[in-house]
Amino acid sequence: MSEPITVVVTGAAGQIAYSLLYQLAAGMVFGPNQPINLHLLDIPVMMKVLDGVVMELEDLALPLLKAIVPTADPAVAFKDVAAAFLVGSMPRREGMERKDLLAANVEIFKVQGEALNKYARKDVKVLVVGNPANTNALICSHYAPSIPKQNFTAMTRLDQNRAQAAVASRLNVQVDKVKNVIIWGNHSSTQYPDTAHATVTLEGSTKSVPTEINNEDWLNNIFVEIIQKRGAAVIAARKMSSAMSAAKAAGDHMRDWWVGTKPGEWISMGVLSDGSYGIPKDIVFSFPVTVENGQYKIVQVNFSS
């Protein structure tokens, strides 16, 4: 067994965290041999609920979970953390766009950025889940100048997972047979899910997704709209935003960032732009990336191929 790492989850009494915490404690994200200490941050009025979450974590009886620290104090929550899941934010409700959340979230991510800067490890990996995630990641990094800006990422893995599932359903294959769907932009209705370089494994061989689907209208219009509006559709159906699927995506994102991507496979992450594809530098934008030794690299896709 390795030495325990400390992982913080904000908004820890909320719905996304409720699904995420089991993944972390069970070794599904950082590996089956990596013990963890969980720091759980929420606002003071949620401490009673958080007590119940702690009881459930204890009752899981999972050997990798070495310590649980519930707190409303960012100084305690971010102390020595190696990985941070910034889930807590002003929630999006039916009829709201992500821009409506911006003003409310500035103060939240300012405080958390300052706490990361002062208390966290300087190599901490920060995943912003709370929306608007790309803007919140930029705000957070601004207030944590001692931590490399590349260590702040925003989640678009939920959109990638949605897109892979939609393609798999269309082709009537298992979802793990579909690879390298790309999410460009932001986790919002302006994102662009791209299958141009996606592949599918059929009868033991790798095929092009656009060739196999063979329907430009579905790929360029129907599919794009499905993915762009999926979050709103979930809210309309359950009167709350995506939680179980968002938690799974957060775990997927951090696992691949921590452990690395498989050869030949890309994932979508909101990362600091280096100017690739003409995207202005120093904004957080979703690109296809590969990860090796804990470092991500933007994939340079050849659009002429």
Side-chain angles (χ1 to χ4, degrees), residues 159 163 181-184 191-196 219 223-225 227-228:
D159 307 293
V181 177
I182 300 169
I183 304 298
W184 301 98
Q191 66 175 264
Y192 187 75
D194 176 13
T195 62
L219 286 170
F223 165 73
V224 171
E225 186 172 343
I227 305 310
Q228 288 176 339

mmCIF file of all heavy atoms in Angstrom, residues 159 163 181-184 191-196 219 223-225 227-228:
data_model
loop_
_atom_site.group_PDB
_atom_site.id
_atom_site.type_symbol
_atom_site.label_atom_id
_atom_site.label_comp_id
_atom_site.label_asym_id
_atom_site.label_seq_id
_atom_site.Cartn_x
_atom_site.Cartn_y
_atom_site.Cartn_z
ATOM 1 N N ASP A 159 -20.045 15.371 -21.066
ATOM 2 C CA ASP A 159 -20.480 15.533 -22.451
ATOM 3 C C ASP A 159 -19.867 14.464 -23.351
ATOM 4 O O ASP A 159 -20.526 13.929 -24.243
ATOM 5 C CB ASP A 159 -20.103 16.930 -22.951
ATOM 6 C CG ASP A 159 -20.624 18.002 -22.019
ATOM 7 O OD1 ASP A 159 -21.846 18.168 -21.938
ATOM 8 O OD2 ASP A 159 -19.808 18.650 -21.346
ATOM 9 N N ALA A 163 -21.890 11.738 -25.421
ATOM 10 C CA ALA A 163 -21.702 11.616 -26.864
ATOM 11 C C ALA A 163 -21.336 10.186 -27.257
ATOM 12 O O ALA A 163 -21.859 9.645 -28.237
ATOM 13 C CB ALA A 163 -20.622 12.592 -27.330
ATOM 14 N N VAL A 181 -14.406 10.403 -29.446
ATOM 15 C CA VAL A 181 -15.345 11.507 -29.641
ATOM 16 C C VAL A 181 -14.756 12.720 -28.930
ATOM 17 O O VAL A 181 -14.212 12.601 -27.831
ATOM 18 C CB VAL A 181 -16.733 11.164 -29.062
ATOM 19 C CG1 VAL A 181 -17.674 12.346 -29.199
ATOM 20 C CG2 VAL A 181 -17.313 9.940 -29.745
ATOM 21 N N ILE A 182 -14.834 13.881 -29.551
ATOM 22 C CA ILE A 182 -14.225 15.094 -28.985
ATOM 23 C C ILE A 182 -15.317 16.082 -28.587
ATOM 24 O O ILE A 182 -16.285 16.268 -29.318
ATOM 25 C CB ILE A 182 -13.288 15.775 -30.005
ATOM 26 C CG1 ILE A 182 -12.156 14.837 -30.441
ATOM 27 C CG2 ILE A 182 -12.699 17.067 -29.425
ATOM 28 C CD1 ILE A 182 -11.371 15.354 -31.638
ATOM 29 N N ILE A 183 -15.123 16.727 -27.440
ATOM 30 C CA ILE A 183 -15.956 17.866 -27.053
ATOM 31 C C ILE A 183 -15.097 19.119 -27.137
ATOM 32 O O ILE A 183 -14.090 19.240 -26.444
ATOM 33 C CB ILE A 183 -16.517 17.711 -25.625
ATOM 34 C CG1 ILE A 183 -17.299 16.401 -25.482
ATOM 35 C CG2 ILE A 183 -17.377 18.924 -25.266
ATOM 36 C CD1 ILE A 183 -18.522 16.271 -26.363
ATOM 37 N N TRP A 184 -15.489 20.026 -28.005
ATOM 38 C CA TRP A 184 -14.792 21.309 -28.157
ATOM 39 C C TRP A 184 -15.563 22.389 -27.394
ATOM 40 O O TRP A 184 -16.791 22.418 -27.428
ATOM 41 C CB TRP A 184 -14.717 21.722 -29.624
ATOM 42 C CG TRP A 184 -14.026 20.762 -30.542
ATOM 43 C CD1 TRP A 184 -14.603 19.839 -31.353
ATOM 44 C CD2 TRP A 184 -12.613 20.641 -30.744
ATOM 45 N NE1 TRP A 184 -13.650 19.141 -32.059
ATOM 46 C CE2 TRP A 184 -12.410 19.614 -31.711
ATOM 47 C CE3 TRP A 184 -11.500 21.294 -30.216
ATOM 48 C CZ2 TRP A 184 -11.150 19.233 -32.150
ATOM 49 C CZ3 TRP A 184 -10.239 20.911 -30.656
ATOM 50 C CH2 TRP A 184 -10.063 19.899 -31.601
ATOM 51 N N GLN A 191 -21.243 24.121 -26.753
ATOM 52 C CA GLN A 191 -20.203 23.131 -27.030
ATOM 53 C C GLN A 191 -20.401 22.500 -28.411
ATOM 54 O O GLN A 191 -21.500 22.534 -28.967
ATOM 55 C CB GLN A 191 -20.245 22.018 -25.987
ATOM 56 C CG GLN A 191 -21.523 21.207 -26.090
ATOM 57 C CD GLN A 191 -21.552 20.015 -25.166
ATOM 58 O OE1 GLN A 191 -21.231 18.922 -25.578
ATOM 59 N NE2 GLN A 191 -21.962 20.244 -23.928
ATOM 60 N N TYR A 192 -19.329 21.888 -28.919
ATOM 61 C CA TYR A 192 -19.480 21.162 -30.184
ATOM 62 C C TYR A 192 -18.972 19.733 -30.020
ATOM 63 O O TYR A 192 -17.764 19.498 -29.917
ATOM 64 C CB TYR A 192 -18.731 21.843 -31.329
ATOM 65 C CG TYR A 192 -19.032 21.167 -32.657
ATOM 66 C CD1 TYR A 192 -20.256 21.369 -33.279
ATOM 67 C CD2 TYR A 192 -18.125 20.283 -33.233
ATOM 68 C CE1 TYR A 192 -20.571 20.723 -34.471
ATOM 69 C CE2 TYR A 192 -18.427 19.633 -34.423
ATOM 70 C CZ TYR A 192 -19.647 19.862 -35.037
ATOM 71 O OH TYR A 192 -19.950 19.215 -36.202
ATOM 72 N N PRO A 193 -19.883 18.757 -29.973
ATOM 73 C CA PRO A 193 -19.462 17.356 -29.941
ATOM 74 C C PRO A 193 -19.095 16.904 -31.355
ATOM 75 O O PRO A 193 -19.883 17.075 -32.290
ATOM 76 C CB PRO A 193 -20.714 16.636 -29.425
ATOM 77 C CG PRO A 193 -21.861 17.512 -29.814
ATOM 78 C CD PRO A 193 -21.345 18.914 -29.875
ATOM 79 N N ASP A 194 -17.915 16.325 -31.494
ATOM 80 C CA ASP A 194 -17.316 16.084 -32.808
ATOM 81 C C ASP A 194 -16.982 14.596 -32.966
ATOM 82 O O ASP A 194 -16.221 14.039 -32.183
ATOM 83 C CB ASP A 194 -16.047 16.946 -32.902
ATOM 84 C CG ASP A 194 -15.238 16.741 -34.160
ATOM 85 O OD1 ASP A 194 -15.745 16.110 -35.104
ATOM 86 O OD2 ASP A 194 -14.081 17.221 -34.196
ATOM 87 N N THR A 195 -17.547 13.974 -33.994
ATOM 88 C CA THR A 195 -17.264 12.560 -34.256
ATOM 89 C C THR A 195 -16.344 12.357 -35.456
ATOM 90 O O THR A 195 -16.132 11.222 -35.886
ATOM 91 C CB THR A 195 -18.571 11.796 -34.531
ATOM 92 O OG1 THR A 195 -19.196 12.356 -35.706
ATOM 93 C CG2 THR A 195 -19.524 11.878 -33.356
ATOM 94 N N ALA A 196 -15.791 13.436 -35.989
ATOM 95 C CA ALA A 196 -15.029 13.334 -37.245
ATOM 96 C C ALA A 196 -13.870 12.344 -37.153
ATOM 97 O O ALA A 196 -13.534 11.680 -38.134
ATOM 98 C CB ALA A 196 -14.506 14.711 -37.661
ATOM 99 N N LEU A 219 -25.410 13.255 -37.775
ATOM 100 C CA LEU A 219 -24.137 13.590 -37.140
ATOM 101 C C LEU A 219 -23.974 15.095 -36.921
ATOM 102 O O LEU A 219 -23.492 15.525 -35.873
ATOM 103 C CB LEU A 219 -22.970 13.081 -37.987
ATOM 104 C CG LEU A 219 -22.720 11.578 -37.954
ATOM 105 C CD1 LEU A 219 -21.701 11.193 -39.014
ATOM 106 C CD2 LEU A 219 -22.241 11.136 -36.569
ATOM 107 N N PHE A 223 -27.511 14.798 -33.651
ATOM 108 C CA PHE A 223 -26.585 14.371 -32.603
ATOM 109 C C PHE A 223 -26.054 15.563 -31.817
ATOM 110 O O PHE A 223 -26.029 15.553 -30.577
ATOM 111 C CB PHE A 223 -25.439 13.586 -33.246
ATOM 112 C CG PHE A 223 -24.241 13.387 -32.377
ATOM 113 C CD1 PHE A 223 -24.265 12.498 -31.328
ATOM 114 C CD2 PHE A 223 -23.056 14.090 -32.622
ATOM 115 C CE1 PHE A 223 -23.143 12.300 -30.522
ATOM 116 C CE2 PHE A 223 -21.936 13.902 -31.829
ATOM 117 C CZ PHE A 223 -21.986 13.005 -30.783
ATOM 118 N N VAL A 224 -25.627 16.603 -32.527
ATOM 119 C CA VAL A 224 -25.070 17.794 -31.863
ATOM 120 C C VAL A 224 -26.094 18.408 -30.912
ATOM 121 O O VAL A 224 -25.788 18.736 -29.764
ATOM 122 C CB VAL A 224 -24.599 18.828 -32.914
ATOM 123 C CG1 VAL A 224 -24.217 20.147 -32.247
ATOM 124 C CG2 VAL A 224 -23.422 18.277 -33.708
ATOM 125 N N GLU A 225 -27.325 18.517 -31.375
ATOM 126 C CA GLU A 225 -28.371 19.118 -30.544
ATOM 127 C C GLU A 225 -28.704 18.237 -29.343
ATOM 128 O O GLU A 225 -28.935 18.741 -28.237
ATOM 129 C CB GLU A 225 -29.627 19.360 -31.384
ATOM 130 C CG GLU A 225 -30.706 20.121 -30.629
ATOM 131 C CD GLU A 225 -31.874 20.521 -31.515
ATOM 132 O OE1 GLU A 225 -31.725 20.497 -32.742
ATOM 133 O OE2 GLU A 225 -32.936 20.848 -30.953
ATOM 134 N N ILE A 227 -26.685 16.308 -27.651
ATOM 135 C CA ILE A 227 -25.645 16.448 -26.630
ATOM 136 C C ILE A 227 -25.674 17.843 -26.016
ATOM 137 O O ILE A 227 -25.545 18.005 -24.793
ATOM 138 C CB ILE A 227 -24.257 16.124 -27.218
ATOM 139 C CG1 ILE A 227 -24.252 14.730 -27.864
ATOM 140 C CG2 ILE A 227 -23.191 16.205 -26.126
ATOM 141 C CD1 ILE A 227 -24.807 13.619 -27.006
ATOM 142 N N GLN A 228 -25.851 18.863 -26.840
ATOM 143 C CA GLN A 228 -25.886 20.229 -26.326
ATOM 144 C C GLN A 228 -27.030 20.442 -25.340
ATOM 145 O O GLN A 228 -26.905 21.200 -24.380
ATOM 146 C CB GLN A 228 -26.020 21.226 -27.480
ATOM 147 C CG GLN A 228 -24.766 21.387 -28.322
ATOM 148 C CD GLN A 228 -24.979 22.319 -29.506
ATOM 149 O OE1 GLN A 228 -26.102 22.553 -29.940
ATOM 150 N NE2 GLN A 228 -23.892 22.846 -30.047
#
